[in-house]
Amino acid sequence: MPLYDINHIKIYNTLSGEKEVFKPITAGHIGMYVCGPTVYSNVHLGNVRTFMSFDMIFRYFKHLGYKVRYVRNITDAGHLENDGDIGEDKITKKARLEAIEPMEIVQRYTVDFHNVLNTFNFLPPSIEPTATGHIIEQIELIQSIIDNGFAYVVNGSVYFDVHKYNESNEYGILSKRKLEDLIHNTRALDGQSDKKNPQDFALWKKAEPTHIMRWPSPWSDGFPGWHLECTAMSTKYLGDFFDIHGGGMDLKFPHHECEIAQNQAAKGQDPVKYWLHANMLELNGARMSKSTGNYINPAELLSGDNDKMSKGYNPSVIRFFMMQASYKSVLDLTDDGLLAAEKGFNRLMDAISLIDNLKTNSTSTFNVSEWKLKCYDAMNDDFNTPILIANLFDAVKFINQIKDGSATVTGDDLEILKHTIEIFTFEILGLINVSKESKGSDKLAGVVDILINMRKEARLNKDFALSDKIRNELAEAGIQLNDSREGTTFTTN
């Protein structure tokens, strides 16, 4: 029996505003789409937190035995500087400022995005589509919306008619905003816009003569609107109605609201059963912002090369810190919070390292089976990682009591304890045992030093064939030897 048959998850659905029992559309299968980054700059630490939340959710679903198709896109075209469909495409603007091709910008920051997520031990998504790789699908989607009467063409650009849509549907159903309020709070058009109404949004923009990123379409040489790509790619890979759509709280309006409207207009149905939104990351009690200087990027947080923190922090410590808050809560990143998380993380790793050497007894003074159920109950309650971590520390306390002789555990209970704490710590929370990692590095260094000495001896004996063999085989294993006057060192690829 798969674990999902006995673990019934409740999820907070932004659409309904309530926790709902999660029931996938197809038994045993989950389709999940998460809005990925716009790759025009280094990935923001707040984005890392959002993607980390969905990485944890993905991990838990997989642990329960679900077959998960997790789609996370790369926005490499169409994201304008603001939500009013004016200004430059963010990627084109960065390329113009640096006097390089837009796709060089895309490549540079996509690589950075992947490197950062790998550093924090993310699982890769099942599919990672790009906006530029799905221009045909977006053009087809626009044509369907036009054919159904919910979009209009002006001067080569195509706009979604929000007022027409609202006559038969509810624009604002996700964000709980009323179109009347949006109209009241929107300034009148200045007469230079092609839109009928300020609330309308672009599906296709005609490219100016200087705009590099452009594609042919029935309406003009241009580029798709930002909101469109997610509708096209999510439904292509997950179907017209799929289980989960996730993203940051800042995307709820207008991005996700527009996705719902586009799908209804094109296909006549809601696209998603459950909408999940991860909350924001603050820095020292205030919003992170480059313009105010209240900002720190992932590399600076890891290295300690910044004026906000007292030191650099291990990726797993940062991940542990972020998992101590619900994904739906605003999280304040502080040095004190990270220092406390580091102490807690080390306590957890130390306790796990003790398990294999604990003595067993004929009785247990701790109800291990009940504790295991509490761990699952925490995750089943809308992925409540703070409660899960509290439960893990109940086990840490018990492990330390067994060690000092004030508690006892049976052999069977010890196996359950070990298996469960490792699953939730490493498989689901995605932490890495730093002590084991460093021990492994020390052992590797010791082995390579032996081979370096063997190579040195071979060269002294003029056995250059053996010397070259050692160097070449280490290189094939990803270990590069570096000779200098001071001696030979090595790096790993």
Side-chain angles (χ1 to χ4, degrees), residues 291-322:
S291 60
T292 64
N294 192 50
Y295 182 82
I296 185 171
N297 66 35
E300 292 168 339
L301 186 58
L302 291 163
S303 68
D305 185 17
N306 62 83
D307 60 359
K308 303 290 189 297
M309 304 293 164
S310 62
K311 53 179 281 189
Y313 291 93
N314 183 277
S316 278
V317 169
I318 298 169
R319 186 168 180 127
F320 183 67
F321 170 79
M322 292 187 178

Side-chain angles (χ1 to χ4, degrees), residues 446-479:
V447 171
V448 175
D449 282 343
I450 291 171
L451 291 170
I452 287 172
N453 288 331
M454 288 176 61
R455 177 171 172 265
K456 182 179 178 181
E457 187 176 338
R459 294 173 76 180
L460 288 172
N461 294 329
K462 300 188 183 303
D463 189 351
F464 298 114
L466 177 58
S467 170
D468 291 344
K469 180 179 172 65
I470 292 171
R471 170 188 279 278
N472 294 338
E473 292 195 3
L474 283 173
E476 287 178 10
I479 299 167

Side-chain angles (χ1 to χ4, degrees), residues 36-264:
T38 301
V39 283
Y40 72 101
S41 65
N42 297 108
V43 63
H44 190 285
L45 199 57
N47 296 141
V48 171
R49 190 214 173 182
T50 294
F51 300 133
M52 189 178 291
S53 296
F54 288 101
D55 180 66
M56 171 270 296
I57 291 169
F58 179 40
R59 285 169 174 272
Y60 189 57
F61 281 143
K62 285 171 64 71
H63 168 70
L64 294 183
Y66 284 109
K67 184 177 176 59
V68 187
R69 178 176 289 176
Y70 174 22
V71 182
R72 186 185 65 214
N73 71 300
I74 295 287
T75 297
D76 58 354
H79 193 167
L80 300 185
E81 291 177 277
N82 61 59
D83 295 324
D85 295 322
I86 59 175
E88 285 187 272
D89 177 289
K90 290 184 176 184
I91 292 166
T92 299
K93 180 179 179 180
K94 190 67 174 284
R96 179 176 57 78
L97 291 172
E98 297 195 17
I100 61 176
E101 282 288 331
M103 280 301 157
E104 288 186 65
I105 295 293
V106 167
Q107 179 68 18
R108 177 191 302 170
Y109 293 115
T110 299
V111 170
D112 170 74
F113 173 67
H114 289 148
N115 286 342
V116 170
L117 266 55
N118 288 339
T119 299
F120 288 103
N121 196 32
F122 280 60
L123 297 178
S126 313
I127 303 172
E128 193 172 54
T130 64
T132 57
H134 295 77
I135 298 296
I136 292 173
E137 290 85 352
Q138 293 177 78
I139 289 172
E140 290 173 348
L141 186 63
I142 293 170
Q143 191 61 58
S144 295
I145 295 172
I146 293 172
D147 292 344
N148 292 338
F150 293 109
Y152 55 92
V153 183
V154 181
N155 296 327
S157 292
V158 185
Y159 295 96
F160 189 95
D161 192 334
V162 170
H163 289 244
K164 176 70 174 177
Y165 172 80
N166 204 55
E167 291 174 6
S168 54
N169 298 274
E170 185 181 349
Y171 184 76
I173 190 171
L174 181 68
S175 59
K176 311 299 185 282
R177 303 187 187 200
K178 297 293 183 183
L179 182 57
E180 295 77 14
D181 296 332
L182 294 172
I183 295 170
H184 179 74
N185 293 320
T186 304
R187 288 180 296 178
L189 295 171
D190 61 9
Q192 297 180 359
S193 174
D194 290 332
K195 295 182 185 181
K196 291 181 182 178
N197 302 287
Q199 296 77 34
D200 296 349
F201 57 89
L203 298 173
W204 187 265
K205 290 283 284 184
K206 180 180 179 180
E208 297 298 325
T210 57
H211 196 97
I212 300 172
M213 301 182 80
R214 59 172 67 217
W215 293 265
S217 80
W219 315 287
S220 66
D221 278 5
F223 54 94
W226 172 41
H227 310 307
L228 191 71
E229 60 171 295
C230 289
T231 300
M233 291 188 286
S234 62
T235 55
K236 172 170 179 156
Y237 295 110
L238 299 175
D240 290 344
F241 185 55
F242 56 93
D243 297 292
I244 294 172
H245 194 313
M249 195 71 74
D250 56 321
L251 297 179
K252 186 163 59 172
F253 185 89
H255 186 54
H256 290 163
E257 199 72 71
C258 292
E259 282 192 60
I260 292 175
Q262 289 167 162
N263 211 79
Q264 281 280 13

Side-chain angles (χ1 to χ4, degrees), residues 410-422:
T410 65
D412 289 344
D413 278 351
L414 186 61
E415 281 300 311
I416 295 171
L417 179 69
K418 177 185 177 181
H419 184 64
T420 304
I421 198 169
E422 289 183 348

